[in-house]
Amino acid sequence: EVGAFIQNDLWISQSFKLLAGLRYGEIRYDNRNLVTSARARQKNDATTARLGVVWKPMDTMSVYASFAESFQQLIGTSATNQPFLPTR
């Protein structure tokens, strides 16, 4: 599994900060059935987003809200030896 992440924070006022980020992930899977010699290979990749906002109504308090996407690889194969597709 390989991934890279980039994020930027931007203060839009003294009380509000925006956060935005992107993540690229790649997962590779290689499986060989020792009985039948069938081989299943899988490579999935995705770029997902992250957004957030921070509200700082006073120096000693911050309120944070965020939204993020992800993907999950489902490792394995079906009965017909087809690899499962990842979920988002």
Side-chain angles (χ1 to χ4, degrees):
E1 183 173 345
V2 175
F5 188 80
I6 187 166
Q7 177 176 307
N8 193 19
D9 300 351
L10 174 67
W11 283 100
I12 56 174
S13 73
Q14 287 186 330
S15 300
F16 285 96
K17 177 168 68 168
L18 296 177
L19 300 95
L22 291 174
R23 182 183 192 282
Y24 171 78
E26 178 181 291
I27 300 171
R28 293 178 186 212
Y29 171 75
D30 189 0
N31 184 36
R32 189 172 137 206
N33 186 319
L34 297 176
V35 176
T36 65
S37 295
R39 183 169 234 163
R41 292 183 178 174
Q42 225 172 318
K43 176 187 169 244
N44 300 111
D45 63 343
T47 301
T48 55
R50 175 182 179 212
L51 299 171
V53 63
V54 177
W55 174 46
K56 196 168 171 98
M58 57 185 78
D59 287 340
T60 58
M61 185 171 100
S62 294
V63 179
Y64 177 75
S66 69
F67 168 81
E69 295 178 313
S70 66
F71 87 107
Q72 178 181 4
Q73 184 182 33
L74 299 175
I75 296 174
T77 59
S78 68
T80 59
N81 204 33
Q82 296 300 312
F84 296 126
L85 298 176
T87 60
R88 279 189 165 245

